[in-house]
Amino acid sequence: MINDCNHFTLKIDYNLKGVEQLKKATFYHAGCPVCVDAEKMMLDHLDTSKVDLEIVHFGEESARISEAENAGVESVPALVLDGQVYHINYGASMEEVKSG
Amino acid sequence: MINDCNHFTLKIDYNLKGVEQLKKATFYHAGCPVCVDAEKMMLDHLDTSKVDLEIVHFGEESARISEAENAGVESVPALVLDGQVYHINYGASMEEVKSG
């Protein structure tokens, strides 16, 4: 008797996304309504298989304001992705952020 | 003889992402350097399992300028995602787009 098992071939396509180099993304915001809306967009719709997203709220991490300014952030909310700054709508200037 | 095939159980985890409701996203731009950079970010990093992304270049589809304005687009580049407008950096005003 021929074993029918020999007729089966199992192909496995490995999902290689996990081993790709993730791009570092930092979303800076100050908790304002414009910021919160943009944060939701980033969290819900960025491809997390490509992007390692960190959220920084200046109200909780004011020590990172200078880091953001050095990266080129001029207003919040802003996304720094792979070194490139994307200002998304307009919540507040960095001067407003610094004055609290 | 027992057919060894009976000992095999094949489990299939269907990828259900494809049947989820995709959110409609439209990226409007005018071909400027700021636009092109933002377009690349959108194309490369949005989660296409959640978002059905359409790119509209006003230089090629000027008839859609009014559609964008009605959606709330004030400058390009802009992403309209699920009805919400996200202006990303600043390339040109819609007035500049209309004048040419």
Side-chain angles (χ1 to χ4, degrees):
Chain A
M1 175 183 173
I2 296 169
N3 186 332
D4 277 342
C5 287
N6 293 331
H7 298 164
F8 284 91
T9 305
L10 183 61
K11 280 191 177 179
I12 299 175
D13 292 319
Y14 289 101
N15 180 348
L16 292 171
K17 281 184 176 178
V19 298
E20 280 176 16
Q21 184 73 40
L22 290 179
K23 287 187 185 165
K24 173 71 181 172
T26 311
F27 179 78
Y28 296 101
H29 75 112
C32 62
V34 174
C35 293
V36 169
D37 180 69
E39 178 182 359
K40 185 166 166 47
M41 193 267 274
M42 290 295 135
L43 286 172
D44 288 353
H45 302 104
L46 277 190
D47 188 340
T48 52
S49 72
K50 297 178 179 170
V51 175
D52 176 24
L53 178 63
E54 181 187 20
I55 307 286
V56 175
H57 185 334
F58 288 135
E60 296 158 2
E61 297 186 74
S62 59
R64 298 185 65 178
I65 289 175
S66 58
E67 164 199 300
E69 286 187 311
N70 289 339
V73 173
E74 294 177 5
S75 63
V76 288
L79 177 72
V80 179
L81 174 60
D82 211 23
Q84 180 72 40
V85 183
Y86 299 95
H87 299 96
I88 300 158
N89 288 341
Y90 183 88
S93 70
M94 289 302 278
E95 291 310 310
E96 289 171 304
V97 168
K98 282 188 276 190
S99 65
Chain B
M1 177 185 172
I2 296 170
N3 186 329
D4 277 343
C5 287
N6 294 329
H7 299 165
F8 284 90
T9 304
L10 184 60
K11 279 192 178 180
I12 300 175
D13 291 319
Y14 290 101
N15 180 346
L16 292 173
K17 281 185 176 179
V19 297
E20 279 177 17
Q21 184 72 42
L22 290 178
K23 285 185 187 168
K24 173 70 180 173
T26 311
F27 179 77
Y28 297 100
H29 76 111
C32 62
V34 173
C35 292
V36 169
D37 179 70
E39 178 182 359
K40 185 166 164 47
M41 192 268 273
M42 289 295 137
L43 286 173
D44 289 352
H45 302 104
L46 275 191
D47 187 340
T48 53
S49 72
K50 296 177 181 171
V51 175
D52 175 24
L53 179 62
E54 181 187 20
I55 307 287
V56 175
H57 186 333
F58 288 133
E60 297 159 2
E61 297 185 75
S62 59
R64 297 185 65 178
I65 290 175
S66 59
E67 164 198 301
E69 286 187 310
N70 289 340
V73 172
E74 294 177 6
S75 64
V76 288
L79 177 72
V80 179
L81 173 60
D82 211 22
Q84 180 71 39
V85 183
Y86 299 95
H87 299 96
I88 301 157
N89 288 341
Y90 183 89
S93 70
M94 289 303 279
E95 291 309 311
E96 290 170 304
V97 168
K98 283 188 274 190
S99 66

Short mmCIF file of all heavy atoms in Angstrom, two decimals, chain B residues 5-57:
data_model
loop_
_atom_site.label_atom_id
_atom_site.label_comp_id
_atom_site.label_asym_id
_atom_site.label_seq_id
_atom_site.Cartn_x
_atom_site.Cartn_y
_atom_site.Cartn_z
N CYS B 5 -1.31 8.99 8.05
CA CYS B 5 -1.91 10.30 7.80
C CYS B 5 -2.89 10.70 8.90
O CYS B 5 -3.10 11.86 9.17
CB CYS B 5 -2.65 10.31 6.45
SG CYS B 5 -1.52 10.30 5.07
N ASN B 6 -3.50 9.72 9.52
CA ASN B 6 -4.49 10.03 10.55
C ASN B 6 -3.85 10.70 11.77
O ASN B 6 -4.53 11.28 12.60
CB ASN B 6 -5.20 8.75 11.00
CG ASN B 6 -6.04 8.18 9.88
OD1 ASN B 6 -6.54 8.93 9.05
ND2 ASN B 6 -6.16 6.86 9.86
N HIS B 7 -2.57 10.58 11.85
CA HIS B 7 -1.89 11.17 13.00
C HIS B 7 -1.52 12.62 12.80
O HIS B 7 -1.04 13.27 13.69
CB HIS B 7 -0.63 10.35 13.35
CG HIS B 7 -0.95 8.94 13.72
ND1 HIS B 7 0.00 7.95 13.77
CD2 HIS B 7 -2.13 8.35 14.07
CE1 HIS B 7 -0.58 6.81 14.13
NE2 HIS B 7 -1.86 7.02 14.31
N PHE B 8 -1.72 13.06 11.59
CA PHE B 8 -1.39 14.46 11.32
C PHE B 8 -2.59 15.35 11.56
O PHE B 8 -3.71 15.01 11.18
CB PHE B 8 -0.95 14.65 9.86
CG PHE B 8 0.45 14.18 9.61
CD1 PHE B 8 0.69 12.87 9.21
CD2 PHE B 8 1.53 15.05 9.77
CE1 PHE B 8 1.98 12.42 8.98
CE2 PHE B 8 2.82 14.59 9.55
CZ PHE B 8 3.05 13.27 9.16
N THR B 9 -2.35 16.44 12.21
CA THR B 9 -3.40 17.46 12.34
C THR B 9 -2.80 18.77 11.82
O THR B 9 -1.71 19.17 12.24
CB THR B 9 -3.83 17.66 13.81
OG1 THR B 9 -4.24 16.40 14.32
CG2 THR B 9 -4.95 18.67 13.91
N LEU B 10 -3.48 19.34 10.90
CA LEU B 10 -2.96 20.58 10.34
C LEU B 10 -3.80 21.74 10.87
O LEU B 10 -5.01 21.78 10.67
CB LEU B 10 -3.04 20.53 8.81
CG LEU B 10 -2.46 21.74 8.08
CD1 LEU B 10 -0.98 21.91 8.42
CD2 LEU B 10 -2.64 21.58 6.57
N LYS B 11 -3.14 22.61 11.59
CA LYS B 11 -3.84 23.78 12.11
C LYS B 11 -3.53 24.97 11.21
O LYS B 11 -2.37 25.22 10.88
CB LYS B 11 -3.38 24.11 13.53
CG LYS B 11 -4.03 23.28 14.61
CD LYS B 11 -3.73 23.90 15.96
CE LYS B 11 -4.39 23.13 17.09
NZ LYS B 11 -4.08 23.75 18.38
N ILE B 12 -4.54 25.67 10.86
CA ILE B 12 -4.34 26.86 10.03
C ILE B 12 -4.87 28.07 10.79
O ILE B 12 -6.04 28.11 11.17
CB ILE B 12 -5.07 26.73 8.67
CG1 ILE B 12 -4.55 25.52 7.90
CG2 ILE B 12 -4.90 28.02 7.87
CD1 ILE B 12 -5.29 25.27 6.61
N ASP B 13 -3.99 29.01 11.03
CA ASP B 13 -4.44 30.28 11.61
C ASP B 13 -4.67 31.25 10.47
O ASP B 13 -3.72 31.72 9.85
CB ASP B 13 -3.38 30.84 12.57
CG ASP B 13 -3.26 29.97 13.81
OD1 ASP B 13 -4.31 29.55 14.32
OD2 ASP B 13 -2.13 29.74 14.26
N TYR B 14 -5.89 31.48 10.18
CA TYR B 14 -6.19 32.41 9.10
C TYR B 14 -5.72 33.81 9.46
O TYR B 14 -5.87 34.25 10.59
CB TYR B 14 -7.70 32.43 8.82
CG TYR B 14 -8.20 31.16 8.19
CD1 TYR B 14 -8.85 30.22 8.95
CD2 TYR B 14 -8.00 30.91 6.84
CE1 TYR B 14 -9.31 29.03 8.38
CE2 TYR B 14 -8.46 29.73 6.26
CZ TYR B 14 -9.11 28.80 7.04
OH TYR B 14 -9.55 27.64 6.47
N ASN B 15 -5.14 34.45 8.48
CA ASN B 15 -4.78 35.85 8.66
C ASN B 15 -6.04 36.67 8.42
O ASN B 15 -6.49 36.82 7.30
CB ASN B 15 -3.69 36.23 7.66
CG ASN B 15 -3.28 37.67 7.81
OD1 ASN B 15 -3.97 38.45 8.47
ND2 ASN B 15 -2.15 38.03 7.23
N LEU B 16 -6.59 37.17 9.51
CA LEU B 16 -7.88 37.87 9.41
C LEU B 16 -7.72 39.35 9.08
O LEU B 16 -8.70 40.05 8.88
CB LEU B 16 -8.67 37.71 10.71
CG LEU B 16 -9.14 36.28 10.98
CD1 LEU B 16 -9.75 36.17 12.36
CD2 LEU B 16 -10.15 35.86 9.92
N LYS B 17 -6.47 39.81 9.06
CA LYS B 17 -6.27 41.24 8.82
C LYS B 17 -6.95 41.69 7.53
O LYS B 17 -7.48 42.77 7.44
CB LYS B 17 -4.78 41.55 8.74
CG LYS B 17 -4.11 41.66 10.10
CD LYS B 17 -2.67 42.09 9.95
CE LYS B 17 -2.00 42.29 11.31
NZ LYS B 17 -0.60 42.68 11.16
N GLY B 18 -6.88 40.83 6.53
CA GLY B 18 -7.40 41.22 5.22
C GLY B 18 -8.88 41.50 5.20
O GLY B 18 -9.36 42.21 4.33
N VAL B 19 -9.60 40.93 6.17
CA VAL B 19 -11.04 41.14 6.16
C VAL B 19 -11.48 42.24 7.12
O VAL B 19 -12.65 42.56 7.20
CB VAL B 19 -11.81 39.84 6.49
CG1 VAL B 19 -11.54 38.79 5.42
CG2 VAL B 19 -11.43 39.31 7.86
N GLU B 20 -10.52 42.80 7.87
CA GLU B 20 -10.88 43.94 8.71
C GLU B 20 -11.24 45.13 7.83
O GLU B 20 -10.81 45.22 6.69
CB GLU B 20 -9.68 44.34 9.59
CG GLU B 20 -9.53 43.48 10.81
CD GLU B 20 -8.29 43.87 11.61
OE1 GLU B 20 -7.77 44.97 11.39
OE2 GLU B 20 -7.86 43.04 12.42
N GLN B 21 -12.02 46.01 8.39
CA GLN B 21 -12.38 47.21 7.64
C GLN B 21 -11.16 48.13 7.55
O GLN B 21 -10.64 48.57 8.57
CB GLN B 21 -13.52 47.93 8.37
CG GLN B 21 -14.06 49.14 7.64
CD GLN B 21 -14.88 48.76 6.42
OE1 GLN B 21 -15.66 47.83 6.47
NE2 GLN B 21 -14.67 49.47 5.33
N LEU B 22 -10.70 48.36 6.34
CA LEU B 22 -9.58 49.26 6.15
C LEU B 22 -10.05 50.70 6.27
O LEU B 22 -11.12 51.06 5.78
CB LEU B 22 -8.94 49.05 4.78
CG LEU B 22 -8.18 47.74 4.57
CD1 LEU B 22 -7.68 47.68 3.14
CD2 LEU B 22 -7.03 47.63 5.54
N LYS B 23 -9.23 51.53 6.91
CA LYS B 23 -9.56 52.95 6.98
C LYS B 23 -9.07 53.64 5.72
O LYS B 23 -7.96 53.39 5.26
CB LYS B 23 -8.91 53.58 8.21
CG LYS B 23 -9.61 53.21 9.49
CD LYS B 23 -9.02 53.94 10.66
CE LYS B 23 -9.63 53.43 11.95
NZ LYS B 23 -8.88 53.90 13.13
N LYS B 24 -9.90 54.50 5.23
CA LYS B 24 -9.54 55.24 4.02
C LYS B 24 -8.59 56.38 4.40
O LYS B 24 -8.88 57.17 5.29
CB LYS B 24 -10.80 55.81 3.37
CG LYS B 24 -10.57 56.73 2.21
CD LYS B 24 -10.05 55.98 1.00
CE LYS B 24 -9.82 56.92 -0.17
NZ LYS B 24 -9.15 56.22 -1.29
N ALA B 25 -7.45 56.44 3.72
CA ALA B 25 -6.50 57.53 3.94
C ALA B 25 -6.15 58.14 2.60
O ALA B 25 -5.91 57.42 1.62
CB ALA B 25 -5.25 57.01 4.63
N THR B 26 -6.16 59.45 2.55
CA THR B 26 -5.78 60.14 1.31
C THR B 26 -4.67 61.12 1.63
O THR B 26 -4.81 61.97 2.51
CB THR B 26 -6.97 60.89 0.70
OG1 THR B 26 -8.09 60.03 0.63
CG2 THR B 26 -6.62 61.39 -0.71
N PHE B 27 -3.57 60.98 0.94
CA PHE B 27 -2.43 61.88 1.12
C PHE B 27 -2.43 62.85 -0.05
O PHE B 27 -2.30 62.44 -1.20
CB PHE B 27 -1.14 61.07 1.16
CG PHE B 27 0.10 61.90 1.32
CD1 PHE B 27 0.45 62.43 2.56
CD2 PHE B 27 0.92 62.18 0.23
CE1 PHE B 27 1.58 63.20 2.71
CE2 PHE B 27 2.06 62.95 0.38
CZ PHE B 27 2.39 63.46 1.62
N TYR B 28 -2.63 64.14 0.25
CA TYR B 28 -2.67 65.17 -0.78
C TYR B 28 -1.33 65.89 -0.81
O TYR B 28 -0.81 66.29 0.24
CB TYR B 28 -3.77 66.19 -0.48
CG TYR B 28 -5.17 65.63 -0.49
CD1 TYR B 28 -5.82 65.31 0.69
CD2 TYR B 28 -5.86 65.43 -1.69
CE1 TYR B 28 -7.12 64.80 0.69
CE2 TYR B 28 -7.15 64.92 -1.71
CZ TYR B 28 -7.78 64.61 -0.51
OH TYR B 28 -9.05 64.11 -0.52
N HIS B 29 -0.80 66.09 -2.00
CA HIS B 29 0.45 66.83 -2.08
C HIS B 29 0.59 67.51 -3.43
O HIS B 29 -0.24 67.35 -4.32
CB HIS B 29 1.64 65.92 -1.79
CG HIS B 29 2.01 65.00 -2.90
ND1 HIS B 29 3.17 65.14 -3.62
CD2 HIS B 29 1.37 63.94 -3.41
CE1 HIS B 29 3.22 64.18 -4.53
NE2 HIS B 29 2.15 63.43 -4.42
N ALA B 30 1.63 68.31 -3.54
CA ALA B 30 1.82 69.10 -4.76
C ALA B 30 3.21 68.92 -5.35
O ALA B 30 3.65 69.73 -6.16
CB ALA B 30 1.55 70.59 -4.46
N GLY B 31 3.87 67.86 -4.92
CA GLY B 31 5.14 67.54 -5.56
C GLY B 31 6.36 68.29 -5.05
O GLY B 31 7.48 68.05 -5.52
N CYS B 32 6.16 69.16 -4.07
CA CYS B 32 7.29 69.94 -3.54
C CYS B 32 8.21 69.01 -2.72
O CYS B 32 7.80 67.92 -2.34
CB CYS B 32 6.78 71.08 -2.67
SG CYS B 32 5.85 70.50 -1.22
N PRO B 33 9.44 69.45 -2.44
CA PRO B 33 10.36 68.58 -1.68
C PRO B 33 9.81 68.16 -0.31
O PRO B 33 9.95 67.00 0.09
CB PRO B 33 11.61 69.46 -1.51
CG PRO B 33 11.57 70.39 -2.68
CD PRO B 33 10.10 70.67 -2.91
N VAL B 34 9.15 69.09 0.39
CA VAL B 34 8.56 68.74 1.68
C VAL B 34 7.50 67.66 1.49
O VAL B 34 7.39 66.71 2.27
CB VAL B 34 7.93 69.99 2.35
CG1 VAL B 34 7.17 69.60 3.62
CG2 VAL B 34 9.00 71.02 2.68
N CYS B 35 6.72 67.82 0.41
CA CYS B 35 5.66 66.85 0.11
C CYS B 35 6.23 65.47 -0.18
O CYS B 35 5.71 64.45 0.30
CB CYS B 35 4.88 67.29 -1.13
SG CYS B 35 3.89 68.78 -0.91
N VAL B 36 7.26 65.44 -0.99
CA VAL B 36 7.83 64.17 -1.42
C VAL B 36 8.40 63.41 -0.23
O VAL B 36 8.24 62.20 -0.10
CB VAL B 36 8.91 64.40 -2.51
CG1 VAL B 36 9.70 63.13 -2.77
CG2 VAL B 36 8.25 64.89 -3.79
N ASP B 37 9.04 64.16 0.67
CA ASP B 37 9.58 63.52 1.87
C ASP B 37 8.46 62.95 2.73
O ASP B 37 8.56 61.81 3.22
CB ASP B 37 10.40 64.55 2.66
CG ASP B 37 10.96 63.92 3.92
OD1 ASP B 37 11.86 63.08 3.79
OD2 ASP B 37 10.49 64.26 5.00
N ALA B 38 7.40 63.73 2.91
CA ALA B 38 6.28 63.24 3.74
C ALA B 38 5.58 62.07 3.07
O ALA B 38 5.13 61.14 3.73
CB ALA B 38 5.29 64.38 3.99
N GLU B 39 5.51 62.11 1.75
CA GLU B 39 4.89 61.01 1.01
C GLU B 39 5.65 59.70 1.26
O GLU B 39 5.06 58.65 1.49
CB GLU B 39 4.88 61.31 -0.49
CG GLU B 39 4.28 60.18 -1.32
CD GLU B 39 4.30 60.46 -2.82
OE1 GLU B 39 4.78 61.54 -3.23
OE2 GLU B 39 3.86 59.58 -3.59
N LYS B 40 6.97 59.82 1.24
CA LYS B 40 7.80 58.63 1.47
C LYS B 40 7.54 58.06 2.87
O LYS B 40 7.43 56.85 3.05
CB LYS B 40 9.28 58.98 1.29
CG LYS B 40 10.20 57.77 1.39
CD LYS B 40 11.60 58.09 0.88
CE LYS B 40 12.59 57.03 1.33
NZ LYS B 40 12.12 55.65 1.12
N MET B 41 7.43 58.96 3.84
CA MET B 41 7.17 58.51 5.21
C MET B 41 5.83 57.76 5.26
O MET B 41 5.72 56.68 5.86
CB MET B 41 7.16 59.72 6.16
CG MET B 41 7.19 59.35 7.63
SD MET B 41 5.58 59.17 8.44
CE MET B 41 5.27 60.86 8.95
N MET B 42 4.83 58.33 4.63
CA MET B 42 3.50 57.71 4.65
C MET B 42 3.52 56.34 3.96
O MET B 42 3.01 55.36 4.47
CB MET B 42 2.49 58.62 3.93
CG MET B 42 2.15 59.86 4.69
SD MET B 42 1.29 59.46 6.23
CE MET B 42 2.11 60.56 7.36
N LEU B 43 4.12 56.31 2.78
CA LEU B 43 4.12 55.08 2.00
C LEU B 43 4.92 53.98 2.70
O LEU B 43 4.56 52.81 2.64
CB LEU B 43 4.73 55.33 0.61
CG LEU B 43 3.84 56.09 -0.37
CD1 LEU B 43 4.62 56.43 -1.63
CD2 LEU B 43 2.60 55.25 -0.73
N ASP B 44 6.02 54.38 3.32
CA ASP B 44 6.91 53.36 3.90
C ASP B 44 6.50 52.89 5.28
O ASP B 44 6.85 51.78 5.67
CB ASP B 44 8.34 53.91 4.00
CG ASP B 44 9.00 54.07 2.65
OD1 ASP B 44 8.39 53.62 1.65
OD2 ASP B 44 10.10 54.64 2.58
N HIS B 45 5.77 53.72 6.02
CA HIS B 45 5.60 53.40 7.44
C HIS B 45 4.17 53.27 7.94
O HIS B 45 3.96 52.92 9.09
CB HIS B 45 6.36 54.41 8.30
CG HIS B 45 7.82 54.46 7.98
ND1 HIS B 45 8.38 55.47 7.25
CD2 HIS B 45 8.81 53.58 8.23
CE1 HIS B 45 9.66 55.22 7.07
NE2 HIS B 45 9.95 54.09 7.65
N LEU B 46 3.19 53.60 7.12
CA LEU B 46 1.82 53.35 7.56
C LEU B 46 1.53 51.86 7.47
O LEU B 46 2.04 51.16 6.60
CB LEU B 46 0.82 54.11 6.68
CG LEU B 46 0.54 55.57 7.04
CD1 LEU B 46 -0.66 56.07 6.24
CD2 LEU B 46 0.27 55.77 8.52
N ASP B 47 0.70 51.40 8.36
CA ASP B 47 0.35 49.98 8.41
C ASP B 47 -0.72 49.72 7.35
O ASP B 47 -1.90 50.02 7.54
CB ASP B 47 -0.16 49.64 9.81
CG ASP B 47 -0.40 48.15 9.99
OD1 ASP B 47 -0.54 47.45 8.96
OD2 ASP B 47 -0.44 47.70 11.13
N THR B 48 -0.31 49.13 6.25
CA THR B 48 -1.23 48.92 5.13
C THR B 48 -2.25 47.82 5.41
O THR B 48 -3.15 47.61 4.61
CB THR B 48 -0.45 48.58 3.85
OG1 THR B 48 0.43 47.49 4.13
CG2 THR B 48 0.35 49.78 3.37
N SER B 49 -2.10 47.12 6.54
CA SER B 49 -3.14 46.16 6.91
C SER B 49 -4.32 46.87 7.57
O SER B 49 -5.37 46.28 7.78
CB SER B 49 -2.58 45.09 7.85
OG SER B 49 -2.33 45.62 9.13
N LYS B 50 -4.11 48.15 7.91
CA LYS B 50 -5.18 48.91 8.56
C LYS B 50 -5.66 50.07 7.70
O LYS B 50 -6.75 50.61 7.92
CB LYS B 50 -4.69 49.47 9.91
CG LYS B 50 -4.35 48.41 10.92
CD LYS B 50 -3.82 49.05 12.19
CE LYS B 50 -3.45 48.00 13.22
NZ LYS B 50 -2.73 48.61 14.37
N VAL B 51 -4.80 50.49 6.78
CA VAL B 51 -5.07 51.73 6.04
C VAL B 51 -5.02 51.48 4.54
O VAL B 51 -4.08 50.87 4.03
CB VAL B 51 -4.01 52.79 6.42
CG1 VAL B 51 -4.19 54.05 5.57
CG2 VAL B 51 -4.11 53.14 7.90
N ASP B 52 -6.03 51.96 3.84
CA ASP B 52 -6.04 51.94 2.37
C ASP B 52 -5.61 53.33 1.92
O ASP B 52 -6.39 54.28 1.96
CB ASP B 52 -7.46 51.61 1.88
CG ASP B 52 -7.56 51.69 0.37
OD1 ASP B 52 -6.53 51.53 -0.32
OD2 ASP B 52 -8.67 51.92 -0.12
N LEU B 53 -4.34 53.44 1.54
CA LEU B 53 -3.74 54.75 1.28
C LEU B 53 -3.80 55.11 -0.20
O LEU B 53 -3.35 54.36 -1.06
CB LEU B 53 -2.28 54.74 1.75
CG LEU B 53 -1.48 56.03 1.53
CD1 LEU B 53 -2.07 57.20 2.31
CD2 LEU B 53 -0.01 55.81 1.95
N GLU B 54 -4.34 56.29 -0.47
CA GLU B 54 -4.36 56.82 -1.83
C GLU B 54 -3.51 58.09 -1.86
O GLU B 54 -3.58 58.91 -0.95
CB GLU B 54 -5.80 57.15 -2.24
CG GLU B 54 -5.89 57.71 -3.66
CD GLU B 54 -7.29 58.21 -4.02
OE1 GLU B 54 -8.09 58.47 -3.10
OE2 GLU B 54 -7.57 58.35 -5.20
N ILE B 55 -2.71 58.23 -2.88
CA ILE B 55 -1.88 59.42 -3.05
C ILE B 55 -2.48 60.30 -4.13
O ILE B 55 -2.74 59.82 -5.24
CB ILE B 55 -0.44 59.02 -3.48
CG1 ILE B 55 0.17 57.98 -2.54
CG2 ILE B 55 0.44 60.26 -3.60
CD1 ILE B 55 0.57 58.48 -1.19
N VAL B 56 -2.71 61.56 -3.81
CA VAL B 56 -3.26 62.50 -4.80
C VAL B 56 -2.27 63.64 -5.01
O VAL B 56 -1.98 64.40 -4.09
CB VAL B 56 -4.62 63.05 -4.34
CG1 VAL B 56 -5.12 64.12 -5.33
CG2 VAL B 56 -5.65 61.94 -4.22
N HIS B 57 -1.76 63.75 -6.22
CA HIS B 57 -0.84 64.82 -6.60
C HIS B 57 -1.66 65.87 -7.35
O HIS B 57 -2.18 65.60 -8.43
CB HIS B 57 0.26 64.24 -7.49
CG HIS B 57 1.36 65.20 -7.84
ND1 HIS B 57 1.18 66.58 -7.90
CD2 HIS B 57 2.66 64.99 -8.16
CE1 HIS B 57 2.32 67.15 -8.23
NE2 HIS B 57 3.22 66.22 -8.39
#
